[in-house]
């Protein structure tokens, strides 16, 4: 049986020696990599849809049921494209349909959820003007 009183200083000494192993640069690189790490995520269409109303209400600062140009985060906001009928305001219906369409465009394998990788790939495809790509998971159920 290990003598706890005698074993504790030995453990502390071993940890101190390990901490001074001369791999400071590797440790600093690991800390930098961890600090920039964004954990992968999976968002279902249901979860995404449930956040749409909250987003709309946050943008609709005067609570009149529509988002006007002065309520957009920026004047050149991509959200302005959600005004499908061209009346100068974004209704809750236009906002909801537009954001769900964006979600669906990110859902490359059409399984009803978007992973971090799918979102990044879809955004890269949209930035380069690609319309289609091989599904991320060919085993996904079709709709």
């Amino acid at each position: 049986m290990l003598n706890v009183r005698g074993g504790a200083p030995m453990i502390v000494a071993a940890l101190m020696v390990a901490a001074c192993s001369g791999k400071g640069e590797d440790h600093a690189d690991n800390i930098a990599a961890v600090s920039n790490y964004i954990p992968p995520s999976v968002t279902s269409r249901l979860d995404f849809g449930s956040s749409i109303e909250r987003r709309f209400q946050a943008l609709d600062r005067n609570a009149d049921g529509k988002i006007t140009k002065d309520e957009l985060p920026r004047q050149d906001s991509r959200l302005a494209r959600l005004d499908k009928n061209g009346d100068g305001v974004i209704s809750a219906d236009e906002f909801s349909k537009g954001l769900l369409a964006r979600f669906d465009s990110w859902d490359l394998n059409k399984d009803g959820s978007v992973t971090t990788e799918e979102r990044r790939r879809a955004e890269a495809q949209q930035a380069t003007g690609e319309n289609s790509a091989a599904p991320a998971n060919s085993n996904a159920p079709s709709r």
Side-chain angles (χ1 to χ4, degrees):
M1 201 163 148
L2 180 66
N3 180 351
V4 175
R5 288 185 194 176
M10 291 293 286
I11 293 171
V12 170
L15 290 172
M16 289 174 63
V17 169
C20 298
S21 65
K23 295 184 180 179
E25 290 178 14
D26 290 340
H27 181 69
D29 289 343
N30 288 339
I31 294 295
V34 169
S35 67
N36 292 326
Y37 176 72
I38 298 172
S41 66
V42 177
T43 305
S44 73
R45 193 172 197 274
L46 182 65
D47 289 339
F48 187 83
S50 68
S51 69
I52 289 175
E53 184 177 350
R54 289 190 307 273
R55 291 177 189 180
F56 183 84
Q57 290 173 350
L59 288 169
D60 181 18
R61 292 188 301 262
N62 63 1
D64 66 351
K66 57 190 173 212
I67 300 171
T68 58
K69 289 181 183 179
D70 63 315
E71 292 174 312
L72 293 174
R74 294 182 316 271
Q75 288 306 104
D76 63 344
S77 177
R78 292 185 301 174
L79 291 173
R81 289 185 245 161
L82 298 177
D83 178 18
K84 294 299 181 189
N85 64 4
D87 65 353
V89 297
I90 302 167
S91 68
D93 188 53
E94 288 172 322
F95 188 78
S96 177
K97 285 179 181 177
L99 290 185
L100 286 174
R102 179 180 292 167
F103 179 91
D104 291 340
S105 75
W106 290 342
D107 187 8
L108 298 178
N109 64 2
K110 306 302 179 204
D111 67 349
S113 63
V114 173
T115 64
T116 302
E117 180 61 26
E118 279 180 305
R119 184 181 50 78
R120 286 181 184 149
R121 285 182 56 206
E123 288 174 344
Q125 289 170 3
Q126 290 167 355
T128 60
E130 293 179 39
N131 289 331
S132 63
N137 177 1
S138 60
N139 295 326
S142 60
R143 288 191 172 176

